[in-house]
């Protein structure tokens, strides 16, 4: 039986070595290489031709995992990619799936989950950690639930062009609290600018 060839992509050496050792205990799974960045992964995949790429999301100042997944899938739509990360926000999960990840595992996943995900990916199965699967299902069933009621209210007010100070006065909260809410909103929506958040708010209003 041909072993499942796996490429590990994570900027932390300890994580790569630990995962390599864990996968090495399984017959039929062979770690053929390691990459510390998205750029390195893109260079190694054509050379090593792994059946499965196990990808972290955040990897320092270079290309992040989402973009690496997107580019790998663009060059080879059949490439199986599993996310293996500590990030479990709704926005991260949805972005990874949208980019083409076949599975999404958290780094506290049990060894059996990891082995099953690698083997399942080769068979075209999507495997996710139970908490991730639950959150993704909830997100797809009702996208509005991604934000708390207060965050949804603040997002709606952004379309009025209010400053942080004005937002604070309107909601009877401090500017610091406004900034905290905005940071959470940006993270959940997968945006990093006020303009992008406003565009999302307008789009949501249009879908109602």
């Amino acid at each position: 039986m041909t072993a499942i060839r796996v490429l590990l992509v994570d900027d932390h050496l300890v994580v790569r070595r630990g995962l390599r050792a864990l996968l090495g205990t399984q017959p039929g799974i062979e770690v053929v290489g390691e990459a510390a960045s998205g750029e390195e992964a893109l260079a190694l995949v054509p050379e090593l031709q792994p059946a499965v790429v196990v990808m972290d999301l955040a990897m320092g100042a270079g290309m992040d995992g989402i973009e690496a997944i997107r580019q790998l899938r663009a060059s080879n739509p059949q490439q199986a990619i599993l996310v293996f990360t500590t990030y479990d926000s709704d926005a991260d999960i949805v972005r990874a799936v949208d980019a083409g990840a076949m599975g999404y595992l958290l780094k506290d996943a049990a060894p059996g989950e990891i082995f099953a995900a690698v083997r399942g990916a080769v068979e075209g199965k999507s495997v996710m950690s139970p908490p991730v699967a639950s959150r993704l299902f909830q997100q797809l069933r009702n996208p509005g639930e991604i934000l708390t009621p207060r965050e949804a209210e603040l997002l709606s007010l952004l379309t009025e062009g209010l400053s942080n100070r004005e937002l604070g006065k309107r909601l009877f909260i401090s500017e610091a609290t406004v900034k905290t809410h905005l940071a959470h909103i940006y993270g959940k929506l997968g945006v990093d600018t006020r303009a992008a958040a406003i565009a999302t708010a307008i789009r949501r209003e249009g879908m109602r």
Side-chain angles (χ1 to χ4, degrees):
M1 183 180 71
T2 303
I4 299 171
R5 297 168 61 83
V6 177
L7 173 67
L8 305 179
V9 188
D10 195 299
D11 60 337
H12 290 98
L13 176 61
V14 173
V15 172
R16 297 199 309 271
R17 292 296 165 82
L19 192 53
R20 175 187 278 271
L22 181 65
L23 292 174
T25 66
Q26 295 300 293
I29 296 179
E30 178 188 4
V31 176
V32 295
E34 301 177 17
S37 68
E39 292 88 347
E40 191 175 350
L42 292 178
L44 285 177
V45 166
E47 175 188 342
L48 300 177
Q49 297 189 343
V52 181
V53 177
V54 179
M55 179 86 67
D56 192 7
L57 291 185
M59 290 181 284
M63 180 187 297
D64 66 7
I66 298 293
E67 182 58 29
I69 292 170
R70 189 174 290 115
Q71 291 197 31
L72 285 173
R73 293 280 288 184
S75 61
N76 179 10
Q78 304 306 314
Q79 179 64 64
I81 305 172
L82 293 175
V83 170
F84 187 64
T85 186
T86 57
Y87 295 90
D88 65 346
S89 75
D90 299 276
D92 288 321
I93 295 167
V94 172
R95 288 172 63 223
V97 173
D98 284 346
M102 294 186 63
Y104 197 112
L105 299 178
L106 300 181
K107 287 184 177 178
D108 61 358
E113 285 183 59
I114 299 172
F115 303 149
V118 170
R119 293 189 172 105
V122 175
E123 299 171 2
K125 298 177 181 178
S126 295
V127 182
M128 298 189 177
S129 293
V132 172
S134 175
R135 294 181 69 168
L136 180 61
F137 175 76
Q138 192 71 11
Q139 160 88 10
L140 294 175
R141 188 175 66 178
N142 188 351
E145 292 183 11
I146 189 173
L147 301 179
T148 66
R150 173 63 89 180
E151 290 166 350
E153 182 180 15
L154 185 57
L155 178 60
S156 179
L157 289 175
L158 282 182
T159 62
E160 297 182 21
L162 302 180
S163 66
N164 286 357
R165 176 174 295 182
E166 291 168 331
L167 288 170
K169 288 182 178 179
R170 181 76 68 89
L171 299 174
F172 303 102
I173 57 179
S174 69
E175 282 188 66
T177 301
V178 169
K179 291 178 181 178
T180 298
H181 282 315
L182 288 176
H184 291 162
I185 290 170
Y186 293 174
K188 289 180 178 181
L189 297 182
V191 301
D192 50 22
T193 68
R194 199 182 193 92
I198 290 173
T200 299
I202 293 173
R203 189 165 61 250
R204 284 185 170 212
E205 288 297 325
M207 291 188 297
R208 288 180 180 176

